[in-house]
Amino acid sequence: MRLRSAIFLLAALALAPLAHAQQLAITFDDLPSHGPLAAGTTRLQVAQAILDVMQREHLPPIYGMVNAVHIAEDPTTAAVLKAWTAAGNPLGNHTYAHVNLNTMSAEAFEDNIEKNEPYLKQYAGSADWHWFRYPFLAEGDTPEKSLGVRTWLAQHNYKIAEVNMSFGDYNWNPPYARCVAKHDDAAMKQLHDTYLAAADEAITASRKLAQGAYGHDIPYVLLMHIGAFDAHMFPELVALYKSRGFTFVTLPEAESDPAYHDNAIAPLASSAGHLAKFAAEHKVPYPHTTDYSKMLDSLCR
């Protein structure tokens, strides 16, 4: 019996890492400024709250994708980029003005990417800022435009910061500002609960897509935004991912996986993200997730 128990224990220990094998690279879009601020809050305070959680939880370096138009409009927001990189986190290119490739020419889009580069050179330090994320995850409304921009990015040494986990976190930031102003505690509780519920649903959806497309988990890339409610919820969000068995890796570590090397071209007017595109090619149905947008838009009006 002792031998059998020992065998069972060894087997359990061997399987334990597999049960917690899924990896997650967190990324933040729209630095230095996203969404409305709650009363009495600054952009730097929002960023610092997120950075404090990163340090406390010993998270690996997290890419912040930059739209430098905000610095041109309000130079004080450059403090966000300085704090981000001072904490050891890299920056990436999200176009200068968060433009949508589906509504403009490839040439104008590429010019907007290049317009962002002087700010990245100024604030990114020695870290590699040649990671690019499409605003709105929109990769062009024609195959020719999509392929043309991907070719341009490769020629300019950019790697695409893909997304395969997202729960529309940006939707919670405007109602948060309204509800803080109205001191509506019941609405704040609703924001809290639905935010975590949406994040949890997205975990299940992304894992189902990966299983359907690849037959196994892949390292996931989470899309977040540097918003006031995101900062407020970030401690609980990190705890949620930990409770679901995730360990945290960097964006380059996640995208070293072969799953990111399929070079899938986006469907027309795509905003689906890397995993959803690849799953669609393999006829994997997209899992149901709850749409909270109407409820959120109505809160604290």
Side-chain angles (χ1 to χ4, degrees):
M1 290 296 292
R2 288 182 179 177
L3 178 60
R4 182 178 299 176
S5 298
I7 292 172
F8 285 153
L9 177 60
L10 289 171
L13 290 173
L15 290 172
L18 296 178
H20 299 278
Q22 56 266 31
Q23 297 176 323
L24 183 68
I26 301 172
T27 62
F28 279 89
D29 278 10
D30 299 355
L31 273 69
S33 176
H34 170 83
L37 287 170
T41 305
T42 68
R43 297 295 176 190
L44 184 57
Q45 286 173 333
V46 168
Q48 194 59 58
I50 293 169
L51 292 170
D52 289 346
V53 176
M54 292 184 198
Q55 181 179 30
R56 187 167 65 247
E57 296 293 339
H58 305 288
L59 298 181
I62 290 177
Y63 264 88
M65 304 300 173
V66 175
N67 305 122
V69 65
H70 300 297
I71 300 174
E73 294 170 348
D74 180 2
T76 67
T77 60
V80 170
L81 304 191
K82 293 176 183 178
W84 195 266
T85 55
N89 298 293
L91 301 174
N93 200 329
H94 197 36
T95 74
Y96 176 79
H98 205 275
V99 292
N100 188 333
L101 178 55
N102 292 346
T103 63
M104 63 196 309
S105 71
E107 292 76 14
F109 187 77
E110 292 155 8
D111 287 346
N112 208 260
I113 297 172
E114 287 190 317
K115 190 175 181 179
N116 216 32
E117 291 183 352
Y119 296 88
L120 294 169
K121 292 174 182 177
Q122 180 177 355
Y123 294 107
S126 60
D128 179 15
W129 48 264
H130 284 89
W131 282 85
F132 177 76
R133 173 157 296 145
Y134 290 89
F136 310 101
L137 303 185
E139 298 189 26
D141 53 342
T142 68
E144 294 77 16
K145 186 189 292 186
S146 182
L147 180 58
V149 170
R150 278 183 174 255
T151 301
W152 184 94
L153 288 167
Q155 290 171 345
H156 289 76
N157 300 314
Y158 278 102
K159 300 165 286 291
I160 297 173
E162 300 283 10
V163 174
N164 47 35
M165 190 178 293
S166 173
F167 59 96
D169 64 297
Y170 55 88
N171 285 310
W172 276 260
N173 290 307
Y176 174 64
R178 298 193 301 267
C179 294
V180 167
K182 291 193 172 185
H183 306 284
D184 191 330
D185 292 339
M188 291 289 289
K189 177 70 163 55
Q190 196 170 0
L191 288 173
H192 169 279
D193 293 350
T194 54
Y195 186 94
L196 292 177
D200 200 41
E201 278 192 349
I203 293 171
T204 301
S206 291
R207 295 194 67 196
K208 284 182 177 178
L209 286 173
Q211 290 289 340
Y214 297 104
H216 54 80
D217 274 303
I218 65 172
Y220 299 96
V221 178
L222 174 68
L223 169 59
M224 298 285 295
H225 296 78
I226 192 165
F229 195 61
D230 290 305
H232 178 73
M233 293 298 297
F234 198 44
E236 290 187 68
L237 190 66
V238 171
L240 170 65
Y241 292 121
K242 285 186 172 181
S243 74
R244 292 294 299 267
F246 283 94
T247 58
F248 301 100
V249 297
T250 66
L251 176 65
E253 286 172 336
E255 294 207 18
S256 68
D257 189 272
Y260 292 90
H261 305 157
D262 54 65
N263 293 319
I265 299 300
L268 296 186
S270 170
S271 59
H274 155 262
L275 186 55
K277 291 182 293 184
F278 196 69
E281 291 178 0
H282 289 74
K283 304 298 188 292
V284 177
Y286 197 91
H288 171 77
T289 55
T290 305
D291 182 2
Y292 292 102
S293 58
K294 289 184 180 179
M295 179 274 293
L296 293 170
D297 188 55
S298 68
L299 278 181
C300 300
R301 290 291 187 181

